[in-house]
Short mmCIF file of all heavy atoms in Angstrom, two decimals:
data_model
loop_
_atom_site.label_atom_id
_atom_site.label_comp_id
_atom_site.label_asym_id
_atom_site.label_seq_id
_atom_site.Cartn_x
_atom_site.Cartn_y
_atom_site.Cartn_z
N MET A 585 -11.47 13.27 -18.03
CA MET A 585 -10.10 13.37 -18.63
C MET A 585 -9.44 12.00 -18.56
O MET A 585 -9.27 11.45 -17.51
CB MET A 585 -9.32 14.41 -17.84
CG MET A 585 -8.18 15.07 -18.58
SD MET A 585 -8.65 15.77 -20.15
CE MET A 585 -7.06 16.37 -20.68
N SER A 586 -9.04 11.53 -19.72
CA SER A 586 -8.42 10.22 -19.79
C SER A 586 -6.93 10.30 -19.50
O SER A 586 -6.27 11.28 -19.81
CB SER A 586 -8.66 9.60 -21.17
OG SER A 586 -8.97 8.28 -21.06
N GLU A 587 -6.42 9.28 -18.88
CA GLU A 587 -4.97 9.25 -18.61
C GLU A 587 -4.43 7.86 -18.85
O GLU A 587 -5.21 6.89 -18.94
CB GLU A 587 -4.72 9.63 -17.16
CG GLU A 587 -5.43 8.78 -16.15
CD GLU A 587 -5.36 9.36 -14.70
OE1 GLU A 587 -4.23 9.47 -14.23
OE2 GLU A 587 -6.41 9.65 -14.15
N ILE A 588 -3.15 7.79 -18.97
CA ILE A 588 -2.50 6.50 -19.22
C ILE A 588 -1.36 6.30 -18.22
O ILE A 588 -0.59 7.19 -17.95
CB ILE A 588 -1.92 6.43 -20.68
CG1 ILE A 588 -3.08 6.38 -21.67
CG2 ILE A 588 -1.03 5.21 -20.83
CD1 ILE A 588 -2.65 6.64 -23.09
N VAL A 589 -1.35 5.10 -17.61
CA VAL A 589 -0.31 4.76 -16.65
C VAL A 589 0.33 3.47 -17.17
O VAL A 589 -0.33 2.55 -17.67
CB VAL A 589 -0.95 4.46 -15.27
CG1 VAL A 589 0.15 4.28 -14.23
CG2 VAL A 589 -1.89 5.58 -14.84
N THR A 590 1.66 3.39 -17.06
CA THR A 590 2.32 2.19 -17.47
C THR A 590 3.16 1.63 -16.34
O THR A 590 3.68 2.32 -15.47
CB THR A 590 3.28 2.40 -18.69
OG1 THR A 590 4.27 3.34 -18.32
CG2 THR A 590 2.50 2.88 -19.89
N TYR A 591 3.18 0.28 -16.30
CA TYR A 591 3.96 -0.43 -15.30
C TYR A 591 4.80 -1.48 -15.98
O TYR A 591 4.44 -1.98 -17.04
CB TYR A 591 3.03 -1.16 -14.32
CG TYR A 591 2.14 -0.24 -13.54
CD1 TYR A 591 0.80 -0.07 -13.88
CD2 TYR A 591 2.63 0.50 -12.44
CE1 TYR A 591 0.00 0.80 -13.16
CE2 TYR A 591 1.83 1.38 -11.74
CZ TYR A 591 0.50 1.53 -12.10
OH TYR A 591 -0.27 2.37 -11.42
N ARG A 592 5.94 -1.81 -15.37
CA ARG A 592 6.74 -2.88 -15.87
C ARG A 592 6.57 -4.09 -14.96
O ARG A 592 6.75 -4.01 -13.74
CB ARG A 592 8.22 -2.49 -15.94
CG ARG A 592 8.89 -2.94 -17.26
CD ARG A 592 10.28 -2.38 -17.35
NE ARG A 592 11.19 -3.07 -16.44
CZ ARG A 592 11.72 -4.26 -16.69
NH1 ARG A 592 11.42 -4.93 -17.78
NH2 ARG A 592 12.51 -4.83 -15.81
N VAL A 593 6.14 -5.20 -15.58
CA VAL A 593 5.91 -6.44 -14.78
C VAL A 593 6.72 -7.53 -15.45
O VAL A 593 6.23 -8.25 -16.34
CB VAL A 593 4.40 -6.74 -14.80
CG1 VAL A 593 4.11 -7.96 -13.91
CG2 VAL A 593 3.56 -5.58 -14.35
N PRO A 594 7.97 -7.72 -15.01
CA PRO A 594 8.94 -8.64 -15.66
C PRO A 594 8.48 -10.09 -15.72
O PRO A 594 8.87 -10.80 -16.63
CB PRO A 594 10.20 -8.47 -14.81
CG PRO A 594 10.05 -7.16 -14.11
CD PRO A 594 8.58 -7.00 -13.90
N ALA A 595 7.70 -10.50 -14.75
CA ALA A 595 7.31 -11.93 -14.68
C ALA A 595 6.29 -12.34 -15.75
O ALA A 595 6.00 -13.54 -15.90
CB ALA A 595 6.85 -12.33 -13.27
N MET A 596 5.71 -11.38 -16.43
CA MET A 596 4.68 -11.75 -17.46
C MET A 596 5.40 -12.36 -18.63
O MET A 596 6.25 -11.73 -19.25
CB MET A 596 3.95 -10.52 -17.89
CG MET A 596 3.10 -9.85 -16.85
SD MET A 596 2.03 -8.56 -17.55
CE MET A 596 3.25 -7.53 -18.37
N SER A 597 5.03 -13.63 -18.94
CA SER A 597 5.75 -14.31 -20.02
C SER A 597 4.85 -14.94 -21.08
O SER A 597 5.36 -15.31 -22.18
CB SER A 597 6.66 -15.36 -19.44
OG SER A 597 5.88 -16.26 -18.67
N CYS A 598 3.58 -15.12 -20.81
CA CYS A 598 2.76 -15.80 -21.79
C CYS A 598 1.34 -15.22 -21.79
O CYS A 598 1.03 -14.31 -21.04
CB CYS A 598 2.72 -17.29 -21.51
SG CYS A 598 1.81 -17.69 -20.01
N GLU A 599 0.49 -15.79 -22.65
CA GLU A 599 -0.89 -15.34 -22.77
C GLU A 599 -1.66 -15.45 -21.46
O GLU A 599 -2.56 -14.70 -21.16
CB GLU A 599 -1.63 -16.11 -23.88
CG GLU A 599 -1.13 -15.75 -25.26
CD GLU A 599 -1.27 -14.25 -25.61
OE1 GLU A 599 -2.35 -13.70 -25.29
OE2 GLU A 599 -0.37 -13.70 -26.19
N HIS A 600 -1.30 -16.47 -20.65
CA HIS A 600 -1.95 -16.65 -19.36
C HIS A 600 -1.66 -15.48 -18.46
O HIS A 600 -2.56 -14.93 -17.81
CB HIS A 600 -1.53 -17.97 -18.70
CG HIS A 600 -1.93 -18.05 -17.26
ND1 HIS A 600 -3.21 -18.37 -16.88
CD2 HIS A 600 -1.25 -17.80 -16.14
CE1 HIS A 600 -3.28 -18.33 -15.54
NE2 HIS A 600 -2.10 -17.98 -15.09
N CYS A 601 -0.41 -15.07 -18.39
CA CYS A 601 -0.01 -13.94 -17.56
C CYS A 601 -0.75 -12.69 -18.04
O CYS A 601 -1.27 -11.90 -17.22
CB CYS A 601 1.49 -13.66 -17.68
SG CYS A 601 2.54 -15.06 -17.30
N LYS A 602 -0.76 -12.55 -19.34
CA LYS A 602 -1.40 -11.39 -19.95
C LYS A 602 -2.87 -11.29 -19.54
O LYS A 602 -3.37 -10.24 -19.15
CB LYS A 602 -1.24 -11.53 -21.47
CG LYS A 602 -1.66 -10.37 -22.27
CD LYS A 602 -1.22 -10.60 -23.74
CE LYS A 602 -1.90 -9.62 -24.69
NZ LYS A 602 -1.35 -9.72 -26.02
N ALA A 603 -3.56 -12.44 -19.65
CA ALA A 603 -4.99 -12.53 -19.30
C ALA A 603 -5.21 -12.26 -17.81
O ALA A 603 -6.16 -11.53 -17.46
CB ALA A 603 -5.52 -13.88 -19.70
N ALA A 604 -4.38 -12.84 -16.98
CA ALA A 604 -4.55 -12.68 -15.53
C ALA A 604 -4.39 -11.22 -15.10
O ALA A 604 -5.20 -10.69 -14.35
CB ALA A 604 -3.52 -13.56 -14.79
N VAL A 605 -3.34 -10.56 -15.59
CA VAL A 605 -3.08 -9.18 -15.26
C VAL A 605 -4.15 -8.26 -15.84
O VAL A 605 -4.69 -7.35 -15.16
CB VAL A 605 -1.65 -8.74 -15.73
CG1 VAL A 605 -1.45 -7.26 -15.59
CG2 VAL A 605 -0.59 -9.50 -14.95
N SER A 606 -4.52 -8.52 -17.07
CA SER A 606 -5.54 -7.71 -17.73
C SER A 606 -6.89 -7.78 -17.00
O SER A 606 -7.56 -6.80 -16.83
CB SER A 606 -5.73 -8.14 -19.18
OG SER A 606 -4.55 -8.00 -19.91
N GLU A 607 -7.22 -9.01 -16.61
CA GLU A 607 -8.49 -9.24 -15.97
C GLU A 607 -8.60 -8.47 -14.63
O GLU A 607 -9.59 -7.79 -14.39
CB GLU A 607 -8.68 -10.73 -15.71
CG GLU A 607 -10.07 -11.18 -15.45
CD GLU A 607 -10.20 -12.68 -15.34
OE1 GLU A 607 -9.72 -13.39 -16.29
OE2 GLU A 607 -10.77 -13.18 -14.35
N GLU A 608 -7.53 -8.57 -13.83
CA GLU A 608 -7.57 -7.87 -12.52
C GLU A 608 -7.63 -6.35 -12.73
O GLU A 608 -8.34 -5.63 -12.06
CB GLU A 608 -6.32 -8.23 -11.70
CG GLU A 608 -6.41 -9.58 -11.05
CD GLU A 608 -7.47 -9.71 -9.99
OE1 GLU A 608 -7.92 -8.72 -9.42
OE2 GLU A 608 -7.86 -10.88 -9.73
N LEU A 609 -6.81 -5.87 -13.68
CA LEU A 609 -6.75 -4.39 -13.90
C LEU A 609 -8.08 -3.88 -14.48
O LEU A 609 -8.52 -2.78 -14.14
CB LEU A 609 -5.58 -4.06 -14.82
CG LEU A 609 -4.22 -4.11 -14.14
CD1 LEU A 609 -3.13 -3.96 -15.19
CD2 LEU A 609 -4.08 -3.05 -13.08
N SER A 610 -8.66 -4.68 -15.34
CA SER A 610 -9.93 -4.25 -15.97
C SER A 610 -11.03 -4.05 -14.95
O SER A 610 -11.98 -3.32 -15.18
CB SER A 610 -10.35 -5.26 -17.04
OG SER A 610 -9.42 -5.31 -18.08
N ALA A 611 -10.94 -4.77 -13.85
CA ALA A 611 -11.97 -4.72 -12.82
C ALA A 611 -11.84 -3.50 -11.92
O ALA A 611 -12.73 -3.18 -11.13
CB ALA A 611 -11.93 -5.99 -11.96
N VAL A 612 -10.72 -2.76 -12.06
CA VAL A 612 -10.50 -1.59 -11.24
C VAL A 612 -11.34 -0.39 -11.74
O VAL A 612 -11.46 -0.19 -12.94
CB VAL A 612 -8.99 -1.19 -11.21
CG1 VAL A 612 -8.78 0.14 -10.51
CG2 VAL A 612 -8.15 -2.29 -10.58
N GLU A 613 -11.89 0.32 -10.79
CA GLU A 613 -12.72 1.46 -11.11
C GLU A 613 -11.96 2.50 -11.97
O GLU A 613 -10.83 2.83 -11.66
CB GLU A 613 -13.23 2.13 -9.83
CG GLU A 613 -14.48 2.92 -10.01
CD GLU A 613 -14.89 3.59 -8.71
OE1 GLU A 613 -14.82 2.98 -7.67
OE2 GLU A 613 -15.29 4.79 -8.76
N GLY A 614 -12.63 2.93 -13.02
CA GLY A 614 -12.01 3.99 -13.85
C GLY A 614 -11.23 3.46 -15.02
O GLY A 614 -10.95 4.21 -15.96
N VAL A 615 -10.84 2.18 -14.97
CA VAL A 615 -10.07 1.62 -16.06
C VAL A 615 -10.92 1.38 -17.31
O VAL A 615 -11.95 0.77 -17.27
CB VAL A 615 -9.37 0.29 -15.64
CG1 VAL A 615 -8.67 -0.40 -16.82
CG2 VAL A 615 -8.39 0.54 -14.50
N GLU A 616 -10.40 1.90 -18.43
CA GLU A 616 -11.11 1.74 -19.70
C GLU A 616 -10.49 0.70 -20.61
O GLU A 616 -11.16 -0.04 -21.33
CB GLU A 616 -11.18 3.10 -20.41
CG GLU A 616 -12.20 4.04 -19.79
CD GLU A 616 -11.90 5.52 -20.03
OE1 GLU A 616 -11.00 5.82 -20.85
OE2 GLU A 616 -12.53 6.35 -19.34
N SER A 617 -9.17 0.64 -20.58
CA SER A 617 -8.53 -0.41 -21.38
C SER A 617 -7.16 -0.76 -20.80
O SER A 617 -6.53 0.01 -20.09
CB SER A 617 -8.34 0.06 -22.85
OG SER A 617 -7.38 1.09 -22.91
N VAL A 618 -6.76 -2.00 -21.05
CA VAL A 618 -5.50 -2.53 -20.53
C VAL A 618 -4.77 -3.18 -21.74
O VAL A 618 -5.36 -3.98 -22.45
CB VAL A 618 -5.71 -3.61 -19.47
CG1 VAL A 618 -4.36 -4.13 -18.95
CG2 VAL A 618 -6.54 -3.06 -18.33
N ASP A 619 -3.54 -2.78 -21.93
CA ASP A 619 -2.73 -3.38 -23.00
C ASP A 619 -1.45 -3.94 -22.39
O ASP A 619 -0.71 -3.25 -21.69
CB ASP A 619 -2.33 -2.34 -24.03
CG ASP A 619 -3.46 -2.06 -24.99
OD1 ASP A 619 -3.88 -3.01 -25.69
OD2 ASP A 619 -3.94 -0.90 -25.03
N VAL A 620 -1.22 -5.25 -22.65
CA VAL A 620 -0.01 -5.88 -22.16
C VAL A 620 0.90 -6.16 -23.35
O VAL A 620 0.48 -6.75 -24.34
CB VAL A 620 -0.34 -7.20 -21.42
CG1 VAL A 620 0.95 -7.92 -21.04
CG2 VAL A 620 -1.17 -6.92 -20.18
N ASP A 621 2.16 -5.72 -23.23
CA ASP A 621 3.20 -6.03 -24.23
C ASP A 621 4.17 -7.04 -23.63
O ASP A 621 4.97 -6.66 -22.75
CB ASP A 621 3.92 -4.76 -24.65
CG ASP A 621 4.88 -5.05 -25.81
OD1 ASP A 621 5.36 -6.19 -25.92
OD2 ASP A 621 5.18 -4.08 -26.54
N LEU A 622 4.05 -8.26 -24.02
CA LEU A 622 4.89 -9.36 -23.45
C LEU A 622 6.37 -9.16 -23.81
O LEU A 622 7.26 -9.65 -23.11
CB LEU A 622 4.40 -10.72 -23.89
CG LEU A 622 3.04 -11.16 -23.31
CD1 LEU A 622 2.64 -12.49 -23.93
CD2 LEU A 622 3.09 -11.28 -21.81
N GLN A 623 6.63 -8.50 -24.93
CA GLN A 623 7.98 -8.27 -25.34
C GLN A 623 8.72 -7.35 -24.39
O GLN A 623 9.83 -7.62 -23.95
CB GLN A 623 7.97 -7.62 -26.76
CG GLN A 623 8.94 -8.27 -27.75
CD GLN A 623 8.39 -9.56 -28.30
OE1 GLN A 623 7.39 -9.54 -29.02
NE2 GLN A 623 8.99 -10.66 -27.93
N THR A 624 8.07 -6.22 -24.08
CA THR A 624 8.71 -5.24 -23.22
C THR A 624 8.31 -5.38 -21.74
O THR A 624 8.78 -4.69 -20.89
CB THR A 624 8.29 -3.79 -23.65
OG1 THR A 624 6.88 -3.67 -23.55
CG2 THR A 624 8.73 -3.51 -25.09
N LYS A 625 7.37 -6.30 -21.49
CA LYS A 625 6.84 -6.57 -20.14
C LYS A 625 6.14 -5.36 -19.56
O LYS A 625 6.10 -5.12 -18.36
CB LYS A 625 7.98 -6.96 -19.16
CG LYS A 625 8.93 -8.03 -19.69
CD LYS A 625 8.24 -9.36 -19.86
CE LYS A 625 9.27 -10.43 -20.21
NZ LYS A 625 8.59 -11.70 -20.63
N GLN A 626 5.53 -4.58 -20.44
CA GLN A 626 4.89 -3.36 -20.04
C GLN A 626 3.38 -3.54 -20.04
O GLN A 626 2.81 -4.16 -20.95
CB GLN A 626 5.19 -2.21 -21.01
CG GLN A 626 6.69 -1.83 -20.98
CD GLN A 626 6.88 -0.46 -20.33
OE1 GLN A 626 6.02 0.13 -19.73
NE2 GLN A 626 8.12 0.04 -20.50
N VAL A 627 2.74 -2.96 -19.02
CA VAL A 627 1.26 -2.93 -18.95
C VAL A 627 0.86 -1.48 -19.09
O VAL A 627 1.35 -0.64 -18.35
CB VAL A 627 0.74 -3.46 -17.60
CG1 VAL A 627 -0.77 -3.54 -17.64
CG2 VAL A 627 1.35 -4.82 -17.29
N ARG A 628 -0.02 -1.22 -20.02
CA ARG A 628 -0.47 0.13 -20.24
C ARG A 628 -1.92 0.20 -19.89
O ARG A 628 -2.75 -0.52 -20.48
CB ARG A 628 -0.28 0.44 -21.77
CG ARG A 628 -0.37 1.84 -22.19
CD ARG A 628 0.17 1.89 -23.61
NE ARG A 628 -0.02 3.18 -24.22
CZ ARG A 628 -1.13 3.55 -24.85
NH1 ARG A 628 -2.13 2.72 -24.94
NH2 ARG A 628 -1.22 4.74 -25.37
N VAL A 629 -2.23 1.02 -18.90
CA VAL A 629 -3.61 1.15 -18.43
C VAL A 629 -4.14 2.52 -18.77
O VAL A 629 -3.54 3.53 -18.48
CB VAL A 629 -3.67 0.97 -16.86
CG1 VAL A 629 -5.11 0.99 -16.39
CG2 VAL A 629 -2.99 -0.35 -16.47
N ALA A 630 -5.31 2.54 -19.46
CA ALA A 630 -5.92 3.79 -19.77
C ALA A 630 -7.23 3.91 -19.04
O ALA A 630 -7.97 2.92 -18.86
CB ALA A 630 -6.15 3.88 -21.28
N GLY A 631 -7.55 5.11 -18.61
CA GLY A 631 -8.81 5.33 -17.93
C GLY A 631 -8.91 6.72 -17.32
O GLY A 631 -8.17 7.62 -17.71
N ALA A 632 -9.84 6.87 -16.40
CA ALA A 632 -10.06 8.19 -15.78
C ALA A 632 -9.94 8.05 -14.28
O ALA A 632 -10.35 7.06 -13.67
CB ALA A 632 -11.48 8.68 -16.13
N ALA A 633 -9.33 9.06 -13.64
CA ALA A 633 -9.10 9.13 -12.23
C ALA A 633 -8.49 7.83 -11.68
O ALA A 633 -8.97 7.22 -10.72
CB ALA A 633 -10.46 9.41 -11.52
N LEU A 634 -7.45 7.38 -12.37
CA LEU A 634 -6.78 6.14 -11.97
C LEU A 634 -6.00 6.35 -10.67
O LEU A 634 -5.32 7.34 -10.48
CB LEU A 634 -5.83 5.67 -13.08
CG LEU A 634 -6.51 5.37 -14.42
CD1 LEU A 634 -5.46 5.02 -15.47
CD2 LEU A 634 -7.52 4.23 -14.26
N ASP A 635 -6.08 5.36 -9.81
CA ASP A 635 -5.36 5.40 -8.54
C ASP A 635 -4.18 4.41 -8.60
O ASP A 635 -4.38 3.18 -8.69
CB ASP A 635 -6.30 5.02 -7.38
CG ASP A 635 -5.61 5.05 -6.05
OD1 ASP A 635 -5.01 6.09 -5.70
OD2 ASP A 635 -5.60 3.99 -5.36
N ASP A 636 -2.99 4.97 -8.54
CA ASP A 636 -1.77 4.19 -8.68
C ASP A 636 -1.74 3.02 -7.68
O ASP A 636 -1.40 1.88 -8.04
CB ASP A 636 -0.54 5.08 -8.46
CG ASP A 636 0.77 4.35 -8.54
OD1 ASP A 636 1.03 3.72 -9.62
OD2 ASP A 636 1.50 4.33 -7.59
N ARG A 637 -2.07 3.29 -6.44
CA ARG A 637 -2.02 2.25 -5.41
C ARG A 637 -2.95 1.11 -5.69
O ARG A 637 -2.60 -0.07 -5.53
CB ARG A 637 -2.28 2.87 -4.05
CG ARG A 637 -1.85 2.01 -2.89
CD ARG A 637 -2.02 2.66 -1.57
NE ARG A 637 -1.13 3.81 -1.38
CZ ARG A 637 -0.97 4.49 -0.24
NH1 ARG A 637 -1.68 4.12 0.81
NH2 ARG A 637 -0.17 5.50 -0.15
N THR A 638 -4.14 1.45 -6.17
CA THR A 638 -5.15 0.45 -6.47
C THR A 638 -4.72 -0.42 -7.67
O THR A 638 -4.91 -1.62 -7.68
CB THR A 638 -6.54 1.09 -6.76
OG1 THR A 638 -6.84 1.99 -5.70
CG2 THR A 638 -7.63 0.05 -6.91
N LEU A 639 -4.14 0.24 -8.64
CA LEU A 639 -3.67 -0.49 -9.84
C LEU A 639 -2.55 -1.47 -9.50
O LEU A 639 -2.53 -2.60 -9.94
CB LEU A 639 -3.23 0.47 -10.92
CG LEU A 639 -4.34 1.38 -11.49
CD1 LEU A 639 -3.73 2.45 -12.43
CD2 LEU A 639 -5.36 0.54 -12.25
N ARG A 640 -1.64 -0.98 -8.67
CA ARG A 640 -0.53 -1.85 -8.23
C ARG A 640 -1.07 -3.04 -7.40
O ARG A 640 -0.57 -4.17 -7.54
CB ARG A 640 0.48 -1.05 -7.39
CG ARG A 640 1.33 -0.13 -8.22
CD ARG A 640 2.15 0.81 -7.38
NE ARG A 640 2.92 1.74 -8.22
CZ ARG A 640 4.16 1.48 -8.68
NH1 ARG A 640 4.76 0.33 -8.35
NH2 ARG A 640 4.79 2.33 -9.43
N ALA A 641 -2.07 -2.75 -6.60
CA ALA A 641 -2.69 -3.83 -5.79
C ALA A 641 -3.33 -4.87 -6.67
O ALA A 641 -3.32 -6.08 -6.37
CB ALA A 641 -3.70 -3.24 -4.81
N ALA A 642 -3.93 -4.43 -7.75
CA ALA A 642 -4.59 -5.34 -8.71
C ALA A 642 -3.57 -6.25 -9.39
O ALA A 642 -3.81 -7.46 -9.55
CB ALA A 642 -5.40 -4.55 -9.76
N ILE A 643 -2.44 -5.69 -9.74
CA ILE A 643 -1.37 -6.47 -10.35
C ILE A 643 -0.87 -7.53 -9.35
O ILE A 643 -0.65 -8.70 -9.67
CB ILE A 643 -0.23 -5.58 -10.85
CG1 ILE A 643 -0.73 -4.69 -12.02
CG2 ILE A 643 0.98 -6.43 -11.31
CD1 ILE A 643 0.23 -3.58 -12.41
N ASP A 644 -0.73 -7.07 -8.11
CA ASP A 644 -0.27 -7.94 -7.04
C ASP A 644 -1.30 -9.06 -6.82
O ASP A 644 -0.97 -10.23 -6.66
CB ASP A 644 -0.15 -7.11 -5.76
CG ASP A 644 0.40 -7.94 -4.60
OD1 ASP A 644 1.61 -8.26 -4.63
OD2 ASP A 644 -0.40 -8.25 -3.65
N GLU A 645 -2.58 -8.70 -6.88
CA GLU A 645 -3.69 -9.67 -6.70
C GLU A 645 -3.64 -10.71 -7.80
O GLU A 645 -4.00 -11.88 -7.56
CB GLU A 645 -5.04 -8.88 -6.76
CG GLU A 645 -6.26 -9.66 -6.39
CD GLU A 645 -6.22 -10.14 -4.92
OE1 GLU A 645 -5.70 -9.43 -4.05
OE2 GLU A 645 -6.67 -11.24 -4.66
N ALA A 646 -3.21 -10.32 -8.98
CA ALA A 646 -3.12 -11.28 -10.09
C ALA A 646 -1.93 -12.24 -9.90
O ALA A 646 -1.79 -13.23 -10.61
CB ALA A 646 -2.98 -10.53 -11.40
N GLY A 647 -1.07 -11.89 -8.95
CA GLY A 647 0.08 -12.76 -8.66
C GLY A 647 1.36 -12.29 -9.26
O GLY A 647 2.33 -13.07 -9.36
N TYR A 648 1.43 -11.01 -9.62
CA TYR A 648 2.61 -10.48 -10.26
C TYR A 648 3.15 -9.26 -9.52
O TYR A 648 2.44 -8.59 -8.79
CB TYR A 648 2.33 -10.10 -11.73
CG TYR A 648 1.96 -11.33 -12.51
CD1 TYR A 648 0.63 -11.75 -12.57
CD2 TYR A 648 2.92 -12.09 -13.14
CE1 TYR A 648 0.29 -12.92 -13.25
CE2 TYR A 648 2.63 -13.25 -13.81
CZ TYR A 648 1.29 -13.66 -13.87
OH TYR A 648 0.95 -14.77 -14.54
N GLU A 649 4.43 -8.98 -9.73
CA GLU A 649 5.10 -7.88 -9.06
C GLU A 649 5.47 -6.78 -10.06
O GLU A 649 5.98 -7.07 -11.14
CB GLU A 649 6.39 -8.39 -8.41
CG GLU A 649 6.38 -8.30 -6.89
CD GLU A 649 7.63 -8.90 -6.30
OE1 GLU A 649 8.66 -8.28 -6.44
OE2 GLU A 649 7.54 -10.01 -5.74
N VAL A 650 5.23 -5.55 -9.65
CA VAL A 650 5.64 -4.42 -10.47
C VAL A 650 7.10 -4.14 -10.24
O VAL A 650 7.55 -4.13 -9.09
CB VAL A 650 4.81 -3.17 -10.12
CG1 VAL A 650 5.30 -1.96 -10.88
CG2 VAL A 650 3.33 -3.40 -10.38
N ALA A 651 7.85 -3.96 -11.31
CA ALA A 651 9.30 -3.69 -11.18
C ALA A 651 9.54 -2.25 -10.67
O ALA A 651 8.74 -1.36 -10.99
CB ALA A 651 10.00 -3.89 -12.49
CU1 CU B 1884 2.32 -16.81 -18.23
#
């Protein structure tokens, strides 16, 4: 069963941020796709059996904070 989780990461401002966050999240188990909208500062993660804590840790690992 696929699910979608979204986070707001205000510090994302350019393609570099987008790539860094996407890369870390993509490496998380269960993640199928990551979409970053720099306009709304939203990260949309799609996948199966997603673990909120692990996803937040991945964003943190990329050097960004979830709002
Ligand atoms: Cu940036």
